[in-house]
Coordinates of all heavy atoms in Angstrom, one line a residue:
M1 N -7.8 10.1 -11.3 CA -8.5 10.2 -10.0 C -7.5 10.3 -8.9 O -6.6 9.6 -8.8 CB -9.4 9.0 -9.7 CG -10.1 9.0 -8.4 SD -11.2 7.7 -8.1 CE -12.7 8.3 -8.7
L2 N -7.5 11.3 -8.1 CA -6.8 11.6 -7.0 C -7.2 10.8 -5.7 O -8.4 10.3 -5.7 CB -6.6 12.9 -6.7 CG -6.1 13.9 -7.7 CD1 -6.2 15.4 -7.3 CD2 -4.7 13.6 -8.1
K3 N -6.3 10.6 -4.8 CA -6.6 9.8 -3.6 C -7.7 10.5 -2.9 O -8.7 9.7 -2.4 CB -5.4 9.7 -2.7 CG -5.6 8.9 -1.5 CD -4.3 8.9 -0.7 CE -4.4 8.1 0.6 NZ -3.2 8.1 1.4
R4 N -7.8 11.8 -2.8 CA -8.8 12.4 -2.0 C -10.2 12.3 -2.8 O -11.2 12.1 -2.2 CB -8.5 13.8 -1.8 CG -8.5 14.8 -3.1 CD -8.3 16.3 -2.7 NE -8.2 17.0 -3.8 CZ -7.0 17.5 -4.4 NH1 -5.9 17.2 -3.7 NH2 -7.0 18.1 -5.5
E5 N -10.2 12.2 -4.1 CA -11.4 11.9 -4.9 C -11.9 10.5 -4.6 O -13.2 10.3 -4.5 CB -11.2 12.2 -6.3 CG -10.9 13.6 -6.7 CD -10.4 13.8 -8.1 OE1 -9.9 12.8 -8.8 OE2 -10.5 14.9 -8.6
L6 N -10.9 9.6 -4.6 CA -11.4 8.2 -4.3 C -12.0 8.1 -3.0 O -12.9 7.4 -2.8 CB -10.1 7.3 -4.4 CG -10.3 5.8 -4.2 CD1 -11.2 5.2 -5.2 CD2 -9.0 5.1 -4.2
I7 N -11.5 8.7 -2.0 CA -11.9 8.7 -0.6 C -13.4 9.3 -0.6 O -14.2 8.8 0.1 CB -10.9 9.5 0.3 CG1 -9.7 8.6 0.6 CG2 -11.6 9.7 1.7 CD1 -8.6 9.4 1.2
S8 N -13.6 10.5 -1.3 CA -14.8 11.1 -1.3 C -15.9 10.3 -1.9 O -17.1 10.2 -1.4 CB -14.7 12.4 -2.1 OG -14.0 13.4 -1.4
E9 N -15.5 9.6 -3.0 CA -16.4 8.7 -3.7 C -16.9 7.5 -2.8 O -18.0 7.2 -2.7 CB -15.9 8.2 -5.0 CG -15.7 9.2 -6.1 CD -17.1 9.5 -6.7 OE1 -18.0 8.7 -6.8 OE2 -17.3 10.8 -7.1
A10 N -15.9 6.8 -2.2 CA -16.2 5.8 -1.3 C -17.0 6.2 -0.2 O -17.9 5.5 0.2 CB -14.9 5.1 -0.8
A11 N -16.6 7.4 0.4 CA -17.4 7.8 1.6 C -18.9 8.2 1.2 O -19.8 8.0 2.0 CB -16.7 9.0 2.2
G12 N -19.0 8.6 -0.1 CA -20.4 8.9 -0.5 C -21.2 7.7 -0.6 O -22.4 7.7 -0.4
Q13 N -20.6 6.6 -1.0 CA -21.3 5.3 -1.2 C -21.5 4.6 0.1 O -22.4 3.7 0.2 CB -20.6 4.4 -2.2 CG -20.6 5.0 -3.6 CD -19.9 4.0 -4.6 OE1 -19.8 2.9 -4.3 NE2 -19.5 4.6 -5.6
L14 N -20.7 4.9 1.1 CA -20.8 4.2 2.5 C -21.3 5.3 3.5 O -20.5 6.0 4.2 CB -19.5 3.7 2.9 CG -18.8 2.7 1.9 CD1 -17.3 2.4 2.3 CD2 -19.6 1.4 1.9
D15 N -22.5 5.4 3.5 CA -23.2 6.5 4.3 C -22.8 6.5 5.8 O -22.7 7.4 6.5 CB -24.7 6.5 4.2 CG -25.2 6.8 2.8 OD1 -24.5 7.5 2.1 OD2 -26.3 6.3 2.5
E16 N -22.6 5.3 6.4 CA -22.3 5.1 7.8 C -20.9 5.4 8.2 O -20.5 5.3 9.3 CB -22.8 3.7 8.3 CG -22.0 2.6 7.7 CD -22.6 2.0 6.5 OE1 -23.6 2.6 5.9 OE2 -22.1 1.0 5.9
Y17 N -20.0 5.7 7.2 CA -18.6 5.9 7.6 C -18.3 7.4 7.1 O -18.7 7.9 6.2 CB -17.6 5.0 6.8 CG -17.8 3.5 7.1 CD1 -18.6 2.6 6.3 CD2 -17.2 3.1 8.3 CE1 -18.8 1.4 6.7 CE2 -17.5 1.7 8.6 CZ -18.2 0.9 7.8 OH -18.3 -0.4 8.1
Y18 N -17.3 8.0 8.1 CA -16.8 9.3 7.8 C -15.8 9.2 6.8 O -15.0 8.2 6.7 CB -16.4 9.9 9.1 CG -17.4 10.2 10.1 CD1 -17.5 9.5 11.3 CD2 -18.4 11.2 9.9 CE1 -18.5 9.7 12.2 CE2 -19.4 11.5 10.8 CZ -19.5 10.6 11.9 OH -20.4 10.9 12.9
K19 N -15.4 10.3 6.2 CA -14.3 10.4 5.2 C -12.9 10.0 5.9 O -12.1 9.4 5.3 CB -14.2 11.7 4.6 CG -15.1 12.0 3.5 CD -14.8 13.4 2.9 CE -15.8 13.7 1.7 NZ -15.5 15.0 1.2
Q20 N -12.8 10.5 7.1 CA -11.5 10.2 7.8 C -11.4 8.6 8.1 O -10.2 8.1 8.0 CB -11.3 10.9 9.1 CG -12.5 10.5 10.1 CD -12.5 11.6 11.3 OE1 -12.0 12.7 11.2 NE2 -13.0 11.2 12.4
D21 N -12.5 8.0 8.3 CA -12.4 6.5 8.5 C -12.0 5.8 7.2 O -11.3 4.8 7.1 CB -13.7 6.0 9.0 CG -14.1 6.5 10.5 OD1 -13.2 6.9 11.1 OD2 -15.3 6.6 10.7
V22 N -12.7 6.3 6.0 CA -12.4 5.7 4.8 C -10.9 5.9 4.4 O -10.2 5.1 3.9 CB -13.4 6.2 3.7 CG1 -13.0 5.8 2.3 CG2 -14.8 5.9 4.0
A23 N -10.5 7.2 4.7 CA -9.1 7.6 4.4 C -8.1 6.6 5.2 O -7.1 6.2 4.6 CB -8.8 9.0 4.7
Q24 N -8.4 6.4 6.5 CA -7.6 5.5 7.3 C -7.5 4.1 6.7 O -6.5 3.5 6.7 CB -8.0 5.6 8.7 CG -7.1 4.8 9.7 CD -7.6 4.9 11.1 OE1 -8.7 5.5 11.4 NE2 -6.7 4.5 12.0
A25 N -8.7 3.6 6.3 CA -8.8 2.2 5.8 C -7.9 2.2 4.5 O -7.1 1.2 4.2 CB -10.3 1.9 5.5
L26 N -8.0 3.2 3.6 CA -7.3 3.2 2.4 C -5.8 3.2 2.6 O -5.1 2.5 2.0 CB -7.8 4.4 1.5 CG -7.0 4.4 0.1 CD1 -7.4 3.2 -0.7 CD2 -7.4 5.7 -0.6
D27 N -5.4 4.0 3.6 CA -4.1 4.1 4.0 C -3.5 2.7 4.5 O -2.4 2.3 4.0 CB -3.7 5.2 5.1 CG -3.9 6.6 4.6 OD1 -3.7 6.8 3.4 OD2 -4.1 7.5 5.4
V28 N -4.2 2.0 5.2 CA -3.8 0.7 5.7 C -3.7 -0.3 4.5 O -2.7 -1.0 4.5 CB -4.8 0.2 6.8 CG1 -4.6 -1.2 7.1 CG2 -4.8 1.0 8.1
I29 N -4.6 -0.3 3.6 CA -4.7 -1.1 2.5 C -3.4 -0.8 1.7 O -2.7 -1.8 1.2 CB -5.9 -1.0 1.7 CG1 -7.1 -1.6 2.5 CG2 -5.8 -1.7 0.3 CD1 -8.5 -1.2 1.9
L30 N -3.1 0.4 1.4 CA -2.0 0.8 0.6 C -0.7 0.5 1.2 O 0.3 0.0 0.5 CB -2.0 2.2 0.2 CG -3.2 2.7 -0.7 CD1 -3.2 4.2 -1.0 CD2 -3.1 1.9 -2.1
E31 N -0.6 0.6 2.5 CA 0.6 0.2 3.3 C 0.9 -1.3 3.2 O 2.0 -1.8 3.0 CB 0.5 0.7 4.7 CG 0.7 2.2 5.0 CD 0.4 2.6 6.4 OE1 0.5 1.8 7.3 OE2 0.2 3.8 6.6
E32 N -0.2 -2.0 3.3 CA -0.1 -3.5 3.3 C 0.4 -4.0 1.8 O 1.2 -4.8 1.8 CB -1.4 -4.2 3.7 CG -1.7 -4.1 5.2 CD -0.5 -4.7 6.1 OE1 -0.1 -5.8 5.7 OE2 -0.1 -4.1 7.1
I33 N -0.2 -3.3 0.8 CA 0.2 -3.7 -0.5 C 1.7 -3.3 -0.7 O 2.4 -4.1 -1.2 CB -0.7 -2.9 -1.6 CG1 -2.1 -3.5 -1.5 CG2 -0.1 -3.1 -2.9 CD1 -3.1 -2.7 -2.4
A34 N 2.1 -2.2 -0.3 CA 3.5 -1.8 -0.4 C 4.5 -2.7 0.4 O 5.5 -3.1 -0.2 CB 3.7 -0.2 0.1
Q35 N 4.0 -3.1 1.6 CA 4.8 -4.0 2.4 C 5.0 -5.3 1.7 O 6.1 -5.9 1.6 CB 4.3 -4.1 3.7 CG 5.2 -4.9 4.6 CD 6.6 -4.4 4.9 OE1 6.6 -3.1 5.2 NE2 7.6 -5.1 4.8
A36 N 3.9 -5.9 1.1 CA 3.9 -7.2 0.5 C 4.9 -7.0 -0.7 O 5.6 -8.0 -1.0 CB 2.5 -7.6 0.1
L37 N 4.8 -6.0 -1.5 CA 5.7 -5.9 -2.7 C 7.1 -5.7 -2.3 O 8.0 -6.3 -2.9 CB 5.2 -4.7 -3.5 CG 3.8 -4.9 -4.2 CD1 3.4 -3.6 -4.8 CD2 3.9 -5.9 -5.3
T38 N 7.3 -5.0 -1.2 CA 8.7 -4.8 -0.7 C 9.3 -6.2 -0.2 O 10.5 -6.5 -0.4 CB 8.7 -3.9 0.6 OG1 8.1 -2.6 0.1 CG2 10.1 -3.7 1.1
D39 N 8.4 -7.0 0.3 CA 8.9 -8.4 0.7 C 9.0 -9.3 -0.4 O 9.3 -10.5 -0.2 CB 7.9 -9.0 1.8 CG 7.9 -8.2 3.0 OD1 8.8 -7.5 3.2 OD2 6.9 -8.3 3.8
G40 N 8.7 -8.8 -1.6 CA 8.8 -9.7 -2.8 C 7.7 -10.6 -3.1 O 7.7 -11.5 -4.0
R41 N 6.5 -10.3 -2.5 CA 5.3 -11.1 -2.7 C 4.5 -10.5 -3.8 O 4.6 -9.3 -4.0 CB 4.5 -11.3 -1.5 CG 5.2 -12.0 -0.3 CD 4.4 -12.2 0.8 NE 4.0 -10.9 1.4 CZ 3.3 -10.7 2.5 NH1 2.8 -11.7 3.2 NH2 3.0 -9.5 2.9
R42 N 3.6 -11.2 -4.4 CA 2.7 -10.8 -5.5 C 1.3 -10.4 -4.8 O 0.9 -11.1 -3.9 CB 2.5 -12.0 -6.4 CG 1.6 -11.7 -7.6 CD 1.6 -12.9 -8.6 NE 0.8 -12.6 -9.6 CZ -0.5 -13.2 -9.7 NH1 -0.9 -13.9 -8.7 NH2 -1.2 -12.9 -10.7
V43 N 0.7 -9.3 -5.2 CA -0.6 -8.9 -4.6 C -1.6 -9.1 -5.7 O -1.5 -8.5 -6.8 CB -0.4 -7.5 -4.2 CG1 -1.8 -7.1 -3.7 CG2 0.6 -7.3 -3.1
E44 N -2.6 -9.9 -5.4 CA -3.7 -10.2 -6.4 C -5.0 -9.7 -5.8 O -5.4 -10.1 -4.7 CB -3.8 -11.6 -6.7 CG -4.9 -11.9 -7.6 CD -4.8 -13.4 -8.0 OE1 -3.8 -14.1 -7.9 OE2 -6.0 -13.8 -8.5
I45 N -5.7 -8.8 -6.5 CA -7.0 -8.3 -6.1 C -8.0 -8.9 -7.2 O -8.0 -8.4 -8.3 CB -7.0 -6.8 -6.1 CG1 -6.0 -6.3 -5.1 CG2 -8.4 -6.2 -5.7 CD1 -5.8 -4.8 -5.1
R46 N -8.7 -9.8 -6.8 CA -9.6 -10.5 -7.8 C -10.6 -9.5 -8.4 O -11.1 -8.7 -7.7 CB -10.4 -11.6 -7.1 CG -9.6 -12.6 -6.5 CD -9.2 -13.7 -7.5 NE -8.2 -14.5 -7.1 CZ -8.2 -15.9 -7.1 NH1 -9.3 -16.5 -7.6 NH2 -7.3 -16.6 -6.6
G47 N -10.7 -9.6 -9.7 CA -11.6 -8.6 -10.4 C -11.0 -7.3 -10.8 O -11.6 -6.5 -11.5
F48 N -9.8 -7.2 -10.3 CA -9.1 -5.9 -10.6 C -7.7 -6.1 -11.3 O -7.5 -5.7 -12.4 CB -8.8 -5.0 -9.3 CG -8.2 -3.7 -9.6 CD1 -8.9 -2.7 -10.2 CD2 -6.9 -3.4 -9.3 CE1 -8.3 -1.5 -10.5 CE2 -6.3 -2.3 -9.5 CZ -7.0 -1.2 -10.1
G49 N -6.9 -6.9 -10.6 CA -5.6 -7.2 -11.3 C -4.6 -7.7 -10.2 O -4.8 -7.9 -9.1
S50 N -3.3 -7.8 -10.6 CA -2.3 -8.2 -9.8 C -1.1 -7.4 -9.9 O -0.7 -6.9 -11.1 CB -1.9 -9.7 -10.0 OG -1.4 -9.9 -11.2
F51 N -0.4 -7.1 -8.9 CA 0.9 -6.3 -8.8 C 2.0 -7.2 -8.4 O 1.8 -8.1 -7.6 CB 0.8 -5.3 -7.7 CG -0.4 -4.3 -7.9 CD1 -1.6 -4.5 -7.4 CD2 -0.1 -3.1 -8.6 CE1 -2.7 -3.6 -7.5 CE2 -1.2 -2.1 -8.9 CZ -2.4 -2.4 -8.2
S52 N 3.2 -7.1 -9.1 CA 4.3 -7.8 -8.8 C 5.5 -7.0 -9.0 O 5.5 -5.9 -9.7 CB 4.3 -9.1 -9.6 OG 4.5 -8.7 -11.0
V53 N 6.6 -7.4 -8.5 CA 7.9 -6.6 -8.6 C 8.8 -7.4 -9.6 O 9.0 -8.6 -9.4 CB 8.6 -6.4 -7.3 CG1 10.0 -5.7 -7.5 CG2 7.8 -5.6 -6.4
R54 N 9.3 -6.7 -10.6 CA 10.3 -7.3 -11.6 C 11.6 -6.6 -11.5 O 11.7 -5.4 -11.2 CB 9.7 -7.2 -12.9 CG 8.5 -8.1 -13.2 CD 8.2 -8.1 -14.6 NE 6.9 -9.0 -14.9 CZ 6.4 -9.1 -16.0 NH1 6.8 -8.5 -17.1 NH2 5.4 -9.9 -16.2
T55 N 12.6 -7.4 -11.7 CA 14.0 -6.9 -11.7 C 14.4 -6.6 -13.1 O 14.4 -7.6 -13.9 CB 15.0 -7.8 -10.9 OG1 14.5 -8.1 -9.6 CG2 16.3 -7.1 -10.8
R56 N 14.8 -5.4 -13.4 CA 15.4 -5.1 -14.7 C 16.9 -5.3 -14.6 O 17.6 -4.9 -13.7 CB 15.0 -3.7 -15.0 CG 13.6 -3.4 -15.3 CD 13.3 -2.0 -15.8 NE 13.8 -2.0 -17.1 CZ 13.5 -1.0 -18.0 NH1 12.7 0.0 -17.5 NH2 13.9 -0.9 -19.3
R57 N 17.4 -5.9 -15.7 CA 18.8 -6.2 -15.8 C 19.6 -4.9 -15.9 O 19.1 -3.9 -16.5 CB 19.2 -7.0 -17.1 CG 18.5 -8.4 -16.9 CD 18.9 -9.3 -18.1 NE 18.2 -8.7 -19.3 CZ 18.6 -8.7 -20.5 NH1 19.8 -9.2 -20.8 NH2 18.0 -8.1 -21.5
P58 N 20.9 -4.9 -15.5 CA 21.7 -3.6 -15.7 C 22.1 -3.6 -17.2 O 22.1 -4.6 -18.0 CB 23.0 -4.0 -14.9 CG 23.0 -5.4 -14.7 CD 21.6 -6.0 -14.8
R59 N 22.2 -2.3 -17.7 CA 22.5 -2.2 -19.1 C 23.4 -1.0 -19.4 O 23.5 -0.1 -18.4 CB 21.2 -2.1 -20.0 CG 20.4 -0.9 -19.5 CD 19.0 -1.0 -20.2 NE 18.2 0.0 -19.7 CZ 17.9 1.2 -20.3 NH1 18.4 1.4 -21.5 NH2 17.1 2.1 -19.8
T60 N 23.9 -0.8 -20.5 CA 24.7 0.3 -20.9 C 23.8 1.1 -22.0 O 23.3 0.4 -22.8 CB 26.1 0.0 -21.5 OG1 26.0 -1.3 -22.1 CG2 27.1 0.1 -20.4
T61 N 23.9 2.4 -22.0 CA 23.2 3.1 -23.0 C 24.0 4.3 -23.3 O 25.0 4.7 -22.6 CB 21.7 3.5 -22.5 OG1 21.0 4.1 -23.5 CG2 21.9 4.5 -21.3
K62 N 23.6 5.0 -24.3 CA 24.3 6.3 -24.7 C 23.4 7.4 -24.5 O 22.3 7.4 -24.9 CB 24.7 6.1 -26.3 CG 25.4 7.2 -26.8 CD 25.7 7.0 -28.3 CE 26.4 8.0 -28.9 NZ 26.7 7.8 -30.4
N63 N 24.0 8.5 -23.9 CA 23.2 9.7 -23.6 C 23.1 10.4 -25.0 O 24.1 10.7 -25.6 CB 24.0 10.5 -22.6 CG 23.2 11.8 -22.3 OD1 22.4 12.3 -23.1 ND2 23.5 12.3 -21.1
P64 N 21.9 10.5 -25.5 CA 21.8 11.2 -26.9 C 22.3 12.6 -27.0 O 22.7 13.1 -28.0 CB 20.3 11.1 -27.2 CG 19.6 10.8 -25.9 CD 20.7 10.2 -25.0
K65 N 22.3 13.2 -25.9 CA 22.6 14.7 -25.8 C 24.2 14.9 -25.9 O 24.8 15.7 -26.6 CB 22.1 15.4 -24.6 CG 22.1 16.9 -24.7 CD 21.5 17.5 -23.5 CE 21.6 19.1 -23.5 NZ 20.8 19.7 -22.5
T66 N 24.9 14.1 -25.0 CA 26.2 14.2 -24.9 C 27.0 13.2 -25.6 O 28.2 13.4 -25.9 CB 26.7 14.1 -23.3 OG1 26.3 12.9 -22.8 CG2 26.0 15.3 -22.6
G67 N 26.3 12.1 -26.0 CA 27.1 10.9 -26.6 C 27.9 10.0 -25.6 O 28.6 9.2 -26.1
R68 N 27.8 10.3 -24.4 CA 28.6 9.7 -23.4 C 27.9 8.3 -23.2 O 26.7 8.2 -23.0 CB 28.8 10.4 -22.2 CG 29.7 10.0 -21.3 CD 29.9 11.0 -20.0 NE 29.5 10.2 -18.8 CZ 28.7 10.6 -17.8 NH1 28.3 11.9 -17.8 NH2 28.4 9.8 -16.9
I69 N 28.7 7.3 -23.0 CA 28.2 5.9 -22.6 C 27.9 5.9 -21.1 O 28.8 6.3 -20.3 CB 29.2 4.8 -22.9 CG1 29.5 4.8 -24.5 CG2 28.7 3.5 -22.5 CD1 28.4 4.5 -25.3
M70 N 26.8 5.4 -20.7 CA 26.4 5.3 -19.3 C 26.0 4.0 -18.9 O 25.4 3.2 -19.7 CB 25.1 6.3 -19.1 CG 25.3 7.8 -19.5 SD 23.8 8.7 -19.5 CE 23.0 8.2 -18.0
D71 N 26.4 3.7 -17.7 CA 25.9 2.3 -17.1 C 24.7 2.6 -16.2 O 24.7 3.3 -15.3 CB 27.1 1.7 -16.3 CG 28.2 1.2 -17.2 OD1 28.0 0.7 -18.3 OD2 29.3 1.4 -16.7
I72 N 23.7 1.8 -16.5 CA 22.4 1.8 -15.7 C 22.4 0.6 -14.9 O 22.4 -0.5 -15.5 CB 21.2 1.9 -16.6 CG1 21.2 3.2 -17.4 CG2 19.9 2.0 -15.8 CD1 20.1 3.4 -18.4
P73 N 22.4 0.7 -13.6 CA 22.4 -0.5 -12.8 C 21.0 -1.3 -12.7 O 20.0 -0.7 -13.3 CB 22.7 0.2 -11.4 CG 22.1 1.5 -11.4 CD 22.3 2.0 -12.8
A74 N 21.1 -2.4 -12.2 CA 19.8 -3.2 -12.1 C 18.9 -2.5 -11.2 O 19.4 -1.8 -10.2 CB 20.1 -4.6 -11.6
R75 N 17.6 -2.6 -11.4 CA 16.7 -1.9 -10.6 C 15.4 -2.7 -10.6 O 15.1 -3.5 -11.4 CB 16.4 -0.5 -11.0 CG 15.9 -0.4 -12.4 CD 15.6 1.0 -12.8 NE 15.2 1.0 -14.1 CZ 15.1 2.1 -14.9 NH1 15.6 3.2 -14.5 NH2 14.7 2.0 -16.1
K76 N 14.6 -2.4 -9.6 CA 13.3 -3.2 -9.5 C 12.2 -2.2 -10.0 O 12.2 -1.0 -9.7 CB 13.0 -3.5 -8.0 CG 13.9 -4.6 -7.5 CD 13.6 -5.0 -6.0 CE 14.5 -6.1 -5.6 NZ 14.2 -6.5 -4.2
T77 N 11.2 -2.8 -10.7 CA 10.1 -2.0 -11.2 C 8.8 -2.8 -10.8 O 8.7 -3.9 -10.6 CB 10.1 -1.8 -12.7 OG1 10.1 -3.1 -13.2 CG2 11.4 -1.1 -13.1
L78 N 7.7 -1.9 -10.7 CA 6.4 -2.5 -10.4 C 5.7 -2.9 -11.8 O 5.8 -2.1 -12.7 CB 5.5 -1.4 -9.7 CG 4.1 -1.8 -9.3 CD1 4.2 -2.9 -8.3 CD2 3.4 -0.6 -8.8
H79 N 5.0 -4.0 -11.7 CA 4.4 -4.6 -12.8 C 3.0 -4.8 -12.5 O 2.7 -5.4 -11.4 CB 5.0 -5.9 -13.4 CG 4.4 -6.4 -14.6 ND1 4.5 -5.9 -15.8 CD2 3.5 -7.5 -14.7 CE1 3.8 -6.6 -16.6 NE2 3.2 -7.5 -15.9
F80 N 2.0 -4.3 -13.4 CA 0.7 -4.6 -13.1 C 0.0 -5.3 -14.2 O 0.2 -5.0 -15.4 CB -0.2 -3.2 -12.9 CG -1.7 -3.4 -12.8 CD1 -2.2 -3.8 -11.7 CD2 -2.5 -3.1 -13.9 CE1 -3.6 -4.0 -11.5 CE2 -3.9 -3.1 -13.7 CZ -4.3 -3.7 -12.6
T81 N -0.8 -6.4 -13.9 CA -1.5 -7.2 -14.9 C -2.9 -7.0 -14.5 O -3.4 -7.4 -13.4 CB -1.1 -8.6 -14.9 OG1 0.3 -8.7 -15.2 CG2 -1.7 -9.4 -16.1
M82 N -3.8 -6.5 -15.5 CA -5.2 -6.3 -15.2 C -5.9 -7.6 -15.3 O -5.5 -8.5 -16.1 CB -5.8 -5.3 -16.1 CG -6.0 -5.6 -17.5 SD -6.9 -4.3 -18.4 CE -5.5 -3.3 -18.9
S83 N -7.0 -7.9 -14.6 CA -7.7 -9.1 -14.6 C -8.6 -9.1 -15.9 O -8.8 -8.1 -16.5 CB -8.7 -9.1 -13.4 OG -9.7 -8.2 -13.6
K84 N -9.0 -10.2 -16.2 CA -9.8 -10.4 -17.5 C -11.0 -9.6 -17.4 O -11.4 -9.0 -18.4 CB -10.1 -12.0 -17.6 CG -10.8 -12.3 -19.0 CD -11.0 -13.8 -19.1 CE -11.8 -14.1 -20.3 NZ -12.0 -15.5 -20.4
S85 N -11.7 -9.6 -16.2 CA -13.0 -8.9 -16.1 C -12.7 -7.4 -16.3 O -13.6 -6.7 -16.9 CB -13.7 -9.2 -14.8 OG -12.9 -8.8 -13.7
L86 N -11.7 -6.9 -15.7 CA -11.4 -5.4 -15.9 C -11.0 -5.1 -17.4 O -11.5 -4.1 -17.8 CB -10.3 -5.0 -15.0 CG -9.8 -3.6 -15.1 CD1 -10.9 -2.6 -14.7 CD2 -8.6 -3.2 -14.1
K87 N -10.4 -6.0 -18.0 CA -10.0 -5.8 -19.3 C -11.3 -5.7 -20.3 O -11.4 -4.9 -21.1 CB -9.1 -6.9 -19.8 CG -8.5 -6.7 -21.3 CD -7.7 -7.8 -21.8 CE -6.3 -7.7 -21.1 NZ -5.4 -8.7 -21.7
E88 N -12.2 -6.7 -20.0 CA -13.5 -6.6 -20.7 C -14.3 -5.4 -20.6 O -14.8 -4.8 -21.5 CB -14.3 -7.8 -20.3 CG -13.7 -9.2 -20.8 CD -14.5 -10.4 -20.3 OE1 -15.4 -10.2 -19.3 OE2 -14.0 -11.5 -20.5
V89 N -14.3 -4.8 -19.3 CA -15.0 -3.6 -19.0 C -14.4 -2.4 -19.7 O -15.1 -1.5 -20.3 CB -15.0 -3.3 -17.5 CG1 -15.5 -1.9 -17.2 CG2 -15.9 -4.4 -16.9
L90 N -13.0 -2.4 -19.8 CA -12.4 -1.3 -20.4 C -12.5 -1.3 -22.0 O -12.6 -0.3 -22.6 CB -10.8 -1.3 -20.1 CG -10.4 -0.9 -18.6 CD1 -9.0 -1.1 -18.5 CD2 -10.9 0.5 -18.3
I91 N -12.6 -2.6 -22.5 CA -12.7 -2.7 -24.0 C -14.2 -2.2 -24.4 O -14.3 -1.5 -25.4 CB -12.6 -4.1 -24.4 CG1 -11.0 -4.4 -24.3 CG2 -13.0 -4.3 -25.8 CD1 -10.8 -6.0 -24.5
E92 N -15.1 -2.4 -23.5 CA -16.5 -2.0 -23.8 C -16.7 -0.6 -23.7 O -17.6 0.0 -24.2 CB -17.5 -2.8 -23.0 CG -17.6 -4.3 -23.2 CD -18.4 -5.0 -22.2 OE1 -19.0 -4.4 -21.4 OE2 -18.5 -6.2 -22.3
A93 N -15.9 0.1 -22.8 CA -16.1 1.5 -22.5 C -15.7 2.4 -23.7 O -15.0 2.2 -24.5 CB -15.3 1.9 -21.3

């Protein structure tokens, strides 16, 4: 599902709001989630799941094409854990 499809679906269910209002609300929500994750905080949406940032350790690997040894620096990645209720819905589907 694309962002514009999500906005259209939400605006369709909320008759009193225009698509542009729903889009603006979604943008604000996504900005707040991104800012919280940037600050190192965990974001939990009850009934959906939680987002957190994890740090991957630096490592060395071999490029399979060239055979050259490469150093991969430490980096941050996004981790999502789905809620129990979402997991149950997905299993039943």
Side-chain angles (χ1 to χ4, degrees):
M1 176 178 271
L2 299 174
K3 184 178 175 182
R4 67 175 177 259
E5 294 170 338
L6 180 63
I7 291 168
S8 293
E9 289 289 328
Q13 293 181 22
L14 303 168
D15 296 331
E16 62 272 3
Y17 294 101
Y18 295 110
K19 280 186 182 179
Q20 63 191 19
D21 296 333
V22 174
Q24 185 177 9
L26 181 61
D27 287 339
V28 169
I29 290 168
L30 294 176
E31 286 174 19
E32 289 299 318
I33 290 173
Q35 185 60 49
L37 292 170
T38 302
D39 294 341
R41 296 182 304 181
R42 182 173 175 263
V43 177
E44 182 178 334
I45 302 172
R46 300 278 169 126
F48 184 71
S50 62
F51 299 91
S52 60
V53 176
R54 291 188 177 175
T55 304
R56 294 188 66 167
R57 295 180 293 143
R59 61 189 175 100
T60 29
T61 188
K62 184 178 179 182
N63 183 334
K65 188 173 183 180
T66 63
R68 198 174 115 221
I69 300 296
M70 300 171 42
D71 290 324
I72 299 176
R75 61 182 178 195
K76 294 182 179 182
T77 60
L78 181 65
H79 179 74
F80 175 74
T81 304
M82 73 176 88
S83 71
K84 184 177 178 181
S85 59
L86 178 60
K87 187 181 277 190
E88 290 171 356
V89 169
L90 289 176
I91 290 172
E92 292 174 4

